[in-house]
Amino acid sequence: MGHWGAAAIAGVAAACVGLVGTGRAVVQDAAPGASAKAAVELREPDARYKADILLVVAHPDDEGAATSYLARAIDEGKRVAVVYGTRGGNGGNEVGTEQASSLAAIREIEARRANATLGITNVWFLDGKDTAGQDVLVSLANWQHGASLEQLVRLIRLTRPEVVLTFLPGTFIGEDHGDHQAAGVLATEAFDLAGDPTVFPNQVAEPLKRLEAYLEGLRPWQPKKIYYFPDADREDIFKGKGPSYSVKEISKSTKKPYWRASLDSFRLHETQAKGFADRLNKMNDAEIEKMMEADGWASDQTFVLGKSLVGGTTTDPIFTGIESGPIPFRREAFSVETPKGDVAVTLAGPWSFYGEFRAAHQLTHLPHPEPPEIALQESTTLIIPLWVRNSTRETREVTLSAELPSGWTVSSGAGKVKVGTNQTAGTRVEIALGALRDKAKGRDAAQMVTVRAEADGKSVGEVAMKVELRKKALPE
Ligand SMILES: [Zn+2]
């Protein structure tokens, strides 16, 4: 029991069963018979967790994609909170033997320390499983999409950000990590849901009685803007789609350029970059600056505007037009278009998902590749997922064929398929990719793959895809 007196213990026990923690008003000194009672002060959301910017990324160290801007925003008095989708258990470990869940436990701490160098301490982790691949749908499945979304909506309502920053939701030739895309998808969904009081209503209900301990007492919150940063090489189609910030400007607080704040934060991710951190430790400021210039790390930080609910232009600075306080919630109408024709074959998988996602979230202006594209490792398999729709009153036969670059072959899925009346069936054409031609460069120029579908001698669909072969790439 130590030095705690019995009275103190009793006091703690009394607090536990009292009104504390229910979010209800605390009435003080209500003397019996007092005629003019003072107004009761109602509780408000916890100001310590209010953020101006909420960064939503996938893995510990992904925050590095935005830290040079965040350092600037923090200089300007902005409050920043960060949410990670996973703890990064699937990454490598350059420091010790720990892998998987043990590595995840380490990477969570590395992320907290990296954020702390910038003064960011409000950092949360969803329970997603770090998934190496390019398919956002697989990542969302491994992240328990519904549970992750519920938690992210909760964190938006808790932190009440004005602006959400996240990865661009889309699939491109690039690193194109499915987890990075999943962070962008979830952040966009949560942006559109957190202001709706009918979404996860238990979060916005006020507990009325002592035993309603799981009603959360949050308020709906509609963030005002969402911006994306790309995870791909297609800089050509991202340019001019949002504001851009020099990372060479000198910070008022550290007297160093903003890229340096980003670098000094990043070097704490030792499991991911111990070799790099060790090299930095042996360099002076001038040498570090030279290396940064040579690596192109000191180029501008650019964002793509997702949407602004407070007006302004595409390239306005991030906080232009933002005033504190809530804005009303509005849901935009959305319906899914059915493909034309009695029988139709269309691209499925992440590509069709993103088409519908952009329409559902009023993001049809977002840059996306046409035709769809992907980068894959040489001599692996490309899978082209397809929907085959038959809206007639009889079973129909569809013939699938593929036109391929020389040396690439169909390994399965071509030929005849049958689809029942009023059905949409899924199928896939698998293509064995050839070897890389330019071994020295490590990548070939993208080549076209076309899948054609015919029914009764007439075309019922054509799917084209640009495929770039690389020495190394994440699996599809
Ligand atoms: Zn990552």
Side-chain angles (χ1 to χ4, degrees):
M1 191 136 305
H3 60 272
W4 283 42
I9 301 289
V12 171
C16 290
V17 297
L19 284 167
V20 173
T22 64
R24 307 296 297 165
V26 177
V27 183
Q28 292 180 336
D29 300 323
S35 53
K37 281 185 190 166
V40 171
E41 201 176 316
L42 299 177
R43 284 218 186 136
E44 293 177 9
D46 191 333
R48 295 172 301 170
Y49 296 93
K50 162 72 184 156
D52 298 298
I53 298 170
L54 180 67
L55 176 72
V56 181
V57 288
H59 313 117
D61 80 8
D62 286 347
E63 79 287 347
T67 40
S68 56
Y69 170 72
L70 294 180
R72 168 194 295 266
I74 290 165
D75 261 2
E76 289 163 1
K78 301 290 189 272
R79 295 157 291 183
V80 178
V82 180
V83 177
Y84 294 91
T86 82
R87 290 175 173 78
N90 204 5
N93 186 349
E94 291 190 19
V95 177
T97 57
E98 299 80 3
Q99 292 295 331
S101 297
S102 308
L103 175 63
I106 290 173
R107 292 190 71 186
E108 173 174 348
I109 302 301
E110 286 178 342
R112 291 188 187 284
R113 287 186 180 150
N115 278 288
T117 66
L118 300 167
I120 302 168
T121 52
N122 292 345
V123 176
W124 289 274
F125 294 80
L126 308 179
D127 288 322
K129 283 210 174 89
D130 185 350
T131 304
Q134 298 190 46
D135 188 334
V136 65
L137 302 176
V138 173
S139 287
L140 287 169
N142 288 350
W143 286 26
Q144 301 291 327
H145 190 172
S148 285
L149 182 58
E150 181 176 4
Q151 176 67 351
L152 189 54
V153 167
R154 174 180 290 118
L155 292 172
I156 286 189
R157 289 168 171 172
L158 173 63
T159 58
R160 292 158 278 140
E162 309 298 329
V163 174
V164 174
L165 302 180
T166 188
F167 281 110
L168 183 76
T171 181
F172 297 87
I173 287 176
E175 181 182 5
D176 201 36
H177 201 301
D179 283 349
H180 295 176
Q181 299 173 46
V185 165
L186 278 167
T188 304
E189 291 175 330
F191 181 95
D192 282 354
L193 292 174
D196 181 342
T198 68
V199 169
F200 306 126
N202 53 305
Q203 293 182 1
V204 295
E206 279 278 294
L208 302 174
K209 295 179 294 221
R210 256 185 58 211
L211 295 178
E212 291 173 339
Y214 296 108
L215 299 182
E216 299 186 29
L218 292 168
R219 306 287 177 271
W221 181 262
Q222 174 63 65
K224 298 175 178 100
K225 292 186 181 183
I226 183 166
Y227 287 93
Y228 303 112
F229 37 89
D231 177 32
D233 299 344
R234 296 293 306 272
E235 294 303 329
D236 56 322
I237 58 174
F238 303 133
K239 216 174 155 73
K241 298 288 165 56
S244 168
Y245 293 90
S246 164
V247 304
K248 293 182 182 170
E249 233 165 85
I250 303 299
S251 158
K252 281 184 298 192
S253 56
T254 67
K255 315 290 180 219
K256 289 182 176 175
Y258 286 119
W259 63 256
R260 186 62 197 258
S262 177
L263 182 72
D264 287 342
S265 170
F266 177 78
R267 62 206 282 185
L268 293 177
H269 293 285
E270 283 195 56
T271 58
Q272 304 310 295
K274 184 167 189 316
F276 180 62
D278 287 349
R279 259 193 296 145
L280 286 179
N281 290 340
K282 293 189 193 116
M283 294 163 102
N284 62 31
D285 281 2
E287 287 165 336
I288 289 175
E289 182 155 0
K290 220 173 130 191
M291 176 199 70
M292 294 292 281
E293 287 281 0
D295 287 359
W297 276 38
S299 52
D300 285 2
Q301 171 132 48
T302 57
F303 294 92
V304 172
L305 175 64
K307 50 187 152 182
S308 165
L309 305 183
V310 293
T313 70
T314 306
T315 53
D316 272 347
I318 288 177
F319 277 87
T320 298
I322 289 179
E323 286 169 28
S324 64
I327 56 170
F329 173 78
R330 216 182 104 191
R331 184 185 297 287
E332 304 286 344
F334 163 64
S335 56
V336 178
E337 262 179 60
T338 314
K340 289 181 179 63
D342 290 344
V343 179
V345 174
T346 52
L347 187 57
W351 295 279
S352 67
F353 162 69
Y354 274 125
E356 287 154 4
F357 176 85
R358 285 190 295 269
H361 295 280
Q362 299 79 52
L363 294 169
T364 49
H365 61 279
L366 273 195
H368 60 275
E370 287 293 354
E373 64 181 29
I374 190 165
L376 290 171
Q377 194 164 319
E378 63 169 334
S379 307
T380 58
T381 303
L382 163 69
I383 298 172
I384 299 188
L386 301 167
W387 289 125
V388 184
R389 190 180 59 88
N390 173 16
S391 57
T392 70
R393 291 171 179 278
E394 58 206 27
T395 296
R396 298 292 293 268
E397 208 170 76
V398 173
T399 304
L400 301 169
S401 62
E403 191 180 311
L404 305 172
S406 70
W408 300 17
T409 55
V410 172
S411 48
S412 75
K416 287 179 179 159
V417 295
K418 237 170 32 183
V419 57
T421 171
N422 281 318
Q423 298 295 320
T424 298
T427 189
R428 52 205 246 167
V429 174
E430 296 193 11
I431 292 154
L433 302 172
L436 199 59
R437 287 185 202 140
D438 193 341
K439 304 268 185 210
K441 198 173 167 202
R443 63 178 66 176
D444 288 345
Q447 302 178 79
M448 288 296 289
V449 166
T450 308
V451 170
R452 295 201 169 86
E454 286 188 353
D456 297 326
K458 278 193 299 211
S459 170
V460 292
E462 186 175 304
V463 169
M465 194 174 289
K466 246 167 78 181
V467 183
E468 182 183 294
L469 285 192
R470 291 185 173 188
K471 195 169 167 214
K472 247 187 126 185
L474 283 171
E476 183 175 356

